[in-house]
Amino acid sequence: MRIKPTIALGLAFCAGALISPLALHSINDARADTPGLTAAVIDLLAIRHDDLPKTTNADLNARTLVVTDHATVGIQSGNVAKHIHPQTDEIQYIIEGSGSMWLGNERKDFKPGSLIVIPKGVAHAGSIVSNGSVKAIAIKIPPQGKGDIVFVD
C-alpha cells in the first residue's frame, strides 16, 4: 500500500509537532546545568584605562564583561597593531576618544557613538588617536578563540 505524499507530509508534521516540545524540554534541561547570564548594570563610563587588566599587547587593556555560547562582550582601552580575526566577527562601539583606524584597506574616522562592524578576515585597528584615549565595547561573534588573531603589516 502506498501513502499519498500529502498524507505522508501531514503525518510528518503531526509527528514533528508532538516531538518538538519533548526535544525543547530536553535541550532546556541540559542548558539548566550551564551557568547563564547574571543580571547586572555596568557603568562603562566609570571604567578607566588603568582599571582594566593589561593584555599581551603593550598599548591595550581589556576585560571580558559577558560570555555566552554564541558571543562575548568586553571593554577595551588603548590600541593594538593591525590584525585580522579569521574566525570571529567583531563589532565595536566607541565610548570615548576619536581618531581614525584601518578598516580593510581604508582609514576610517571614528568618534564616540561610532559603531564599527568588522567581518571576520578584515584587517583592522592601528588607530591614530586625535582626542583622548580610545575606549570601546567589543562584541565578538562567536567568542574569539585563543589563536584567532593574526597580525598584518
Side-chain angles (χ1 to χ4, degrees), residues 47-50 59 76-79 94-98 110 112 129-136:
I47 299 172
R48 300 287 164 227
H49 180 81
D50 291 334
D59 296 330
Q76 58 190 40
S77 176
N79 198 0
I94 305 299
I95 302 169
E96 292 178 2
S98 59
F110 64 84
V129 177
S130 61
N131 182 26
S133 63
V134 177
K135 183 167 54 171

Side-chain angles (χ1 to χ4, degrees), residues 18-106:
L18 291 172
I19 292 171
S20 179
L22 296 173
L24 285 176
H25 183 69
S26 297
I27 291 168
N28 288 337
D29 284 351
R31 288 189 58 92
D33 295 338
T34 305
L37 294 176
T38 301
V41 174
I42 302 168
D43 185 353
L44 298 175
L45 294 178
I47 299 172
R48 300 287 164 227
H49 180 81
D50 291 334
D51 297 333
L52 298 170
K54 297 191 180 305
T55 68
T56 56
N57 300 297
D59 296 330
L60 183 72
N61 291 4
R63 175 184 300 143
T64 300
L65 302 171
V66 177
V67 177
T68 72
D69 293 340
H70 304 290
T72 59
V73 178
I75 185 168
Q76 58 190 40
S77 176
N79 198 0
V80 64
K82 192 173 179 184
H83 63 281
I84 63 170
H85 303 290
Q87 300 173 358
T88 307
D89 295 316
E90 183 172 0
I91 300 168
Q92 292 186 9
Y93 178 77
I94 305 299
I95 302 169
E96 292 178 2
S98 59
S100 63
M101 66 177 284
W102 283 107
L103 188 60
N105 294 323
E106 298 180 44

Side-chain angles (χ1 to χ4, degrees), residues 144-149:
Q144 181 180 336
K146 291 187 187 289
D148 191 32
I149 186 167

